[in-house]
Amino acid sequence: MQRYEGRVAVITGAGSGIGKATALRLASEGGTVVAVDLDRDAGEAVAKETGGLYIAADVTDEEAVKAAFAEVKEVYGRVDVAFNNAGISPPDDDSILDTGIEAWRKVQEVNLTSVYLCCKYALPYMREQGKGAIVNTASFVATMGAATSQISYTASKGGVLAMSRELGVQFARDGVRVNALSPGPVNTPLLKELFAKDPERAQRRLVHVPFGRFAEPEEIASAVAFLASDDASFITASNFLVDGGISGAYVTPL
Ligand code: NAD
């Protein structure tokens, strides 16, 4: 499949995990990929692998985000896809009883404000083209509650989900589709750092996954490749769950 031939896709958090797998997937389908990441080494490595561009930007910085999309427009003349995916899940974001205001704010900035900024500065180019696809990474925790709380993370992803729905509705007649991607737990550095390397903490979660395993980043990337392509031309304002059945499960197989 060459669904991205002639298309330019901007991916934030492209240096690692889901973002990196998606960068490789879109490039393999003929796309030009712009990798945006804080981590220069990781971002440059992905740009090299995909033959695209690396832009160093902190997605919480309004001027940096504005400049990044302007640079993409200047270099390639278009912005077809924005995969607003950079996010964090730090250990000091925990139960509401223990999470301080600074930890709360940091997660809101990186996970939610960044999506607001990326949409704000991608949309004008897409509207001008009369076409575009935005995919914002939320999470299944925007849809389901967890007793193993990360309160700011969950609230930030709820915000991403609601914002994506609203933008999808508002800009549909401009030819711009906006969807929230809600992955279940994925085997990435973010998840490994958090709990996957501890078998007991991993099992506490795996029992709720019908497949009995975490997703691989490539399985999320293939969903993004669909959602941001013309194959998904009638899908907008959706909560696109790629969660291994978690949100549909009551009792899982033994
Ligand atoms: P990851 O830690 O592997 O990669 C995140 C990337 O984002 C890193 O390269 C990092 O340098 C970059 N980044 C972080 N802060 C940034 C900033 N301020 N500006 C620019 N770049 C920044 O993470 P991942 O697991 O691939 O997660 C990607 C997205 O998927 C996140 O939004 C995360 O919340 C979401 N998600 C992950 C899982 C999971 O289980 N891994 C599940 C659901 C949703």
Side-chain angles (χ1 to χ4, degrees), residues 149-229:
S149 185
Q150 287 191 282
I151 195 60
S152 187
Y153 183 90
T154 297
S156 73
K157 296 303 189 180
V160 170
L161 179 59
M163 179 162 45
S164 305
R165 182 169 54 227
E166 189 137 305
L167 298 179
V169 171
Q170 186 182 355
F171 295 104
R173 294 187 192 187
D174 292 332
V176 182
R177 296 184 302 105
V178 186
N179 290 290
L181 171 82
S182 290
V186 189
N187 220 344
T188 67
L190 181 143
L191 177 120
K192 282 181 198 147
E193 192 48 46
L194 207 60
F195 55 73
K197 59 188 177 192
D198 175 345
E200 203 176 306
R201 296 183 76 199
Q203 199 46 41
R204 175 102 161 87
R205 287 142 177 100
L206 281 170
V207 70
H208 298 287
V209 189
F211 281 136
R213 66 171 177 86
F214 298 129
E216 292 304 321
E218 292 72 21
E219 294 177 297
I220 307 302
S222 60
V224 180
F226 163 69
L227 200 51
S229 79

Side-chain angles (χ1 to χ4, degrees), residues 12-19 36-39 42 57-60 84-89 106 110-111 137-140 153 157 181-191 195:
T12 70
S16 174
I18 295 168
V36 177
D37 208 291
L38 259 185
D39 183 331
D58 178 339
V59 287
T60 67
N84 302 321
N85 161 78
I88 55 170
S89 181
K106 171 82 180 162
V110 179
N111 290 8
T137 307
S139 165
F140 72 111
Y153 183 90
K157 296 303 189 180
L181 171 82
S182 290
V186 189
N187 220 344
T188 67
L190 181 143
L191 177 120
F195 55 73

Side-chain angles (χ1 to χ4, degrees), residues 21-203:
T22 304
L24 297 176
R25 174 66 189 248
L26 299 195
S28 79
E29 290 199 35
T32 298
V33 174
V34 178
V36 177
D37 208 291
L38 259 185
D39 183 331
R40 177 173 290 278
D41 290 344
E44 280 180 348
V46 169
K48 198 170 168 200
E49 220 174 318
T50 58
L53 182 69
Y54 166 63
I55 297 180
D58 178 339
V59 287
T60 67
D61 177 340
E62 179 165 13
E63 287 311 312
V65 170
K66 189 176 175 183
F69 282 100
E71 186 178 342
V72 175
K73 172 73 177 172
E74 192 174 312
V75 173
Y76 296 111
R78 51 192 306 108
V79 180
D80 298 293
V81 173
F83 180 33
N84 302 321
N85 161 78
I88 55 170
S89 181
D92 58 354
D93 175 22
D94 201 281
S95 158
I96 194 169
L97 302 175
D98 306 318
T99 302
I101 191 73
E102 283 313 314
W104 165 273
R105 285 195 177 124
K106 171 82 180 162
V107 172
Q108 294 297 315
E109 280 285 300
V110 179
N111 290 8
L112 181 57
T113 306
S114 68
V115 175
Y116 149 76
L117 290 174
C118 290
C119 290
K120 186 177 175 69
Y121 291 108
L123 273 163
Y125 300 117
M126 295 179 172
R127 292 182 75 209
E128 196 179 288
Q129 290 160 195
K131 187 169 174 160
I134 295 177
V135 177
N136 296 323
T137 307
S139 165
F140 72 111
V141 299
T143 298
M144 306 188 65
T148 50
S149 185
Q150 287 191 282
I151 195 60
S152 187
Y153 183 90
T154 297
S156 73
K157 296 303 189 180
V160 170
L161 179 59
M163 179 162 45
S164 305
R165 182 169 54 227
E166 189 137 305
L167 298 179
V169 171
Q170 186 182 355
F171 295 104
R173 294 187 192 187
D174 292 332
V176 182
R177 296 184 302 105
V178 186
N179 290 290
L181 171 82
S182 290
V186 189
N187 220 344
T188 67
L190 181 143
L191 177 120
K192 282 181 198 147
E193 192 48 46
L194 207 60
F195 55 73
K197 59 188 177 192
D198 175 345
E200 203 176 306
R201 296 183 76 199
Q203 199 46 41

